[in-house]
Amino acid sequence: MTQEKFTPISANNCRKENTKFSMISVYDYPTAKFAEEAGINSLLVGDSLAMTVLGHQDTISLTVEEMLHHVKAVSKASKKSMVVADMPFMSYQVSPQQAVHNAGRFLKEGRADAVKIEGGYQMSETVKAIFSAGIPIIAHIGLTPQSSGQLGGLKVQGNTLESAEKLLNDAISLQDAGAFSILMECIPSKIASIIHKKLHVPTISYGSGPDLDAQGLVGADILGLFDLFLPKFSKRYSEVGKEIKSSFNKFHKEVISKKFPYLENQYNVSDSVLKDFLKKIKKI
Ligand code: KIV
């Protein structure tokens, strides 16, 4: 269990000391509280919430206001875990000024500890602007779902010479611009490992092999709360979704069979109040 607040400096220490840290994408107060109590070092309020919680078909429609709503809930539950707000599509791409403004809202209003943006070297000016405003920032490369249209879908990245070279250049450029960590999603393990070794900042793997400093997964995948698909890199540790369905179904059956509510689920009134009440309504 984490004893002190996990910060970008803690992540950097993990890199220096060759120890691992954990990250989970979560979106609400109770799950964040359980994650922190379970010892998870960092909570990413990921824009995956658009699909796993809000039922959108992708992450594109998510707004800053929706993300803020969830960041506030996760921050309230987190005393020790580092909270990272994922910046929604079009909340940072328009200009570095727009990015700084919105990143600032996630810290001031959402009480996040850091922000994350997607994109390669072309986001370097934006990372620099956010870093210069004193806001800790993680740069997300590889499979970047907000630009899946350009990537040709939700596919593994870095599996050709050109794209592996591009990812390395992206990572170095974003690190040099001030990102305190590089998150790599869906990159072949050996390519991600080489990129990791060329960097000095801590690296986070979502499906990019074992050699990075942190491992991250989407909480809804771990718990079996999102059952439309499970990425190859993920692991289902429990079937909470099935448990929910089974409990709701048991309740439904007890309602239609008139078993629920049981005596212990009902409130009592004293006999004298009941008697007086019946007497009174007879007069009405
Ligand atoms: O939204 C999210 O949960 C993410 C991770 C998959 C990195 O961006």
Side-chain angles (χ1 to χ4, degrees):
M1 173 110 168
T2 325
Q3 286 310 309
E4 288 170 4
K5 179 84 180 167
F6 194 85
T7 64
I9 293 171
S10 321
N12 205 35
N13 289 340
C14 286
R15 166 109 205 190
K16 283 198 228 142
E17 292 158 13
N18 193 23
T19 54
K20 302 279 183 187
F21 64 99
S22 56
M23 175 179 263
I24 285 193
S25 304
V26 291
Y27 326 102
D28 61 69
Y29 180 89
T31 317
K33 192 162 170 292
F34 289 138
E36 168 159 302
E37 286 167 5
I40 299 293
N41 303 108
S42 178
L43 306 178
L44 171 65
V45 190
D47 65 354
S48 48
L49 95 87
M51 297 166 78
T52 57
V53 173
L54 303 179
H56 294 303
Q57 61 173 16
D58 53 35
T59 58
I60 299 303
S61 318
L62 193 74
T63 66
V64 169
E65 300 307 323
E66 285 169 331
M67 181 53 93
L68 261 175
H69 182 73
H70 289 266
V71 172
K72 283 179 190 171
V74 170
S75 296
K76 280 183 200 142
S78 311
K79 307 280 173 285
K80 296 171 189 165
S81 313
M82 174 171 72
V83 177
V84 182
D86 204 4
M87 295 191 63
F89 182 58
M90 280 301 139
S91 69
Y92 60 94
Q93 288 92 340
V94 176
S95 66
Q97 288 75 12
Q98 180 220 24
V100 172
H101 172 77
N102 284 323
R105 289 193 69 193
F106 287 117
L107 267 68
K108 274 173 80 88
E109 297 173 46
R111 305 299 303 175
D113 301 305
V115 298
K116 168 173 95 58
I117 67 169
E118 294 184 6
Y121 71 93
Q122 70 280 11
M123 281 296 143
S124 299
E125 283 309 308
T126 303
V127 168
K128 206 178 276 179
I130 293 175
F131 168 74
S132 302
I135 298 171
I137 173 160
I138 297 178
H140 174 168
I141 62 166
L143 172 55
T144 47
Q146 292 177 13
S147 45
S148 62
Q150 277 182 340
L151 301 177
L154 299 176
K155 288 183 182 160
V156 175
Q157 301 296 309
N159 51 2
T160 64
L161 176 60
E162 300 73 46
S163 72
E165 266 181 324
K166 180 185 177 308
L167 286 175
L168 176 60
N169 291 333
D170 286 343
I172 291 173
S173 160
L174 293 160
Q175 167 187 265
D176 294 350
F180 79 85
S181 174
I182 305 292
L183 185 150
M184 304 187 215
E185 182 172 354
C186 274
I187 299 176
S189 306
K190 288 182 180 163
I191 299 293
S193 176
I194 293 168
I195 298 173
H196 163 81
K197 286 183 189 128
K198 294 277 180 198
L199 299 173
H200 57 80
V201 293
T203 53
I204 303 169
S205 164
Y206 270 67
S208 299
D211 291 347
L212 280 57
D213 299 295
Q215 290 294 323
L217 285 180
V218 171
D221 290 339
I222 292 183
L223 298 174
L225 281 171
F226 181 70
D227 59 4
L228 293 186
F229 62 87
L230 182 70
K232 173 184 159 73
F233 70 77
S234 194
K235 179 171 172 192
R236 189 149 287 168
Y237 284 82
S238 56
E239 293 288 358
V240 178
K242 285 188 183 147
E243 279 293 313
I244 291 175
K245 216 189 287 182
S246 153
S247 304
F248 288 171
N249 185 250
K250 281 182 195 152
F251 169 66
H252 169 71
K253 283 185 175 151
E254 288 197 354
V255 169
I256 59 175
S257 63
K258 301 180 183 169
K259 282 190 186 144
F260 186 89
Y262 295 88
L263 275 180
E264 66 264 29
N265 309 117
Q266 301 179 39
Y267 299 101
N268 288 323
V269 64
S270 70
D271 289 345
S272 65
V273 171
L274 189 60
K275 207 168 116 198
D276 292 347
F277 181 54
L278 286 168
K279 223 190 274 173
K280 191 150 198 183
I281 61 169
K282 262 190 204 149
K283 290 182 196 151
I284 299 170

